[in-house]
Amino acid sequence: MSAMTEVVVAARVRLVAGLLLTALLAACAGPGVRPGAPAGQVVPAADAAEREAARSARVRAAADWSLTGRIAVSNAGKGGSGRIEWSQRGAGFDVALSAPVTRQSWRLSGAPGSARLEGLDGGPREGADAAELLFQATGWDIPVAALGDWLRGLAAGGDGGDARILPGPDGRPQSIAQGGWTIAYEWPATGDLPTRLDARRDSARVRLIVDRWQGGAAEAATP
């Protein structure tokens, strides 16, 4: 065999070996993950929508639920933070707020059309609008009526009304825009209920971290 022939054969061997190695690496790598999408969380759009519809139905069907967590509220540069305990029984709510630094605490209870706020100097106050009652007494701008739904990753008002929902990769809401507020969510790896929310409207902001859910859905999960 001539020197030229040996060179050509060697080149062909290297080429074939290179192609085999490339094919082997591709087979081992398996299917790729879309850039920016966490592995195992991206599902087909139709499946994601179906999962979210089922989640929403389960959550809305659970009329009695409660949570404990931490809340921070700010409005035009003023605000505070503390603990929150929210108990919901059908349309009735009972919300306890406490600010450890100032040692202030309030309890807001009621149902649509009526509310009572306790823990104020001068005694309890009552009114038809829970959010307005709380704001006038404490300066905390908290959309109480809608928050019961938003806390659970639902549009407020049953059918959602003017809500614009941006779904995440698995169908659960990444954000909800409604009533001038925008609510962003963080979710556990699995479960029907979020672990964090950040609600904003103009200069008002409500941030909440859930430490514990009770009831509320068939697949509730907390960190």
Side-chain angles (χ1 to χ4, degrees):
M1 182 181 293
S2 67
M4 181 62 70
T5 302
E6 290 178 354
V7 171
V8 172
V9 171
R12 288 177 178 175
V13 170
R14 288 195 297 271
L15 176 60
V16 172
L19 291 174
L20 289 173
L21 179 59
T22 300
L24 180 61
L25 291 173
C28 292
V33 177
R34 279 182 273 179
Q41 295 185 11
V42 178
V43 296
D47 292 345
E50 185 176 346
R51 288 186 185 186
E52 174 54 19
R55 183 200 72 87
S56 297
R58 286 193 299 268
V59 173
R60 288 199 184 279
D64 297 346
W65 54 271
S66 63
L67 69 79
T68 58
R70 290 158 282 167
I71 188 170
V73 181
S74 59
N75 188 20
K78 299 179 180 180
S81 61
R83 301 288 302 175
I84 181 170
E85 297 180 6
W86 188 304
S87 178
Q88 191 81 22
R89 298 293 178 266
F93 58 87
D94 189 295
V95 184
L97 299 165
S98 60
V101 174
T102 61
R103 296 186 178 181
Q104 289 182 291
S105 63
W106 305 276
R107 182 173 294 276
L108 180 66
S109 59
S114 65
R116 176 183 175 89
L117 182 61
E118 301 173 70
L120 305 173
D121 293 338
R125 298 184 190 179
E126 297 183 352
D129 188 320
E132 182 64 21
L133 186 64
L134 186 63
F135 179 76
Q136 291 297 330
T138 68
W140 287 24
D141 188 3
I142 300 178
V144 178
L147 196 58
D149 286 328
W150 292 344
L151 281 170
R152 299 176 293 153
L154 301 172
D159 61 359
D162 61 340
R164 299 189 307 278
I165 301 176
L166 176 64
D170 62 359
R172 295 179 296 185
Q174 181 175 318
S175 67
I176 296 176
Q178 187 176 19
W181 289 85
T182 299
I183 307 95
Y185 292 94
E186 289 185 22
W187 296 84
T190 60
D192 288 341
L193 299 168
T195 55
R196 298 181 180 221
L197 68 81
D198 188 335
R200 304 183 186 217
R201 182 183 67 181
D202 300 328
S203 62
R205 185 178 184 186
V206 179
R207 289 169 290 167
L208 192 143
I209 299 173
V210 179
D211 293 326
R212 179 178 175 82
W213 283 104
Q214 287 187 312
E219 300 177 7
T222 51

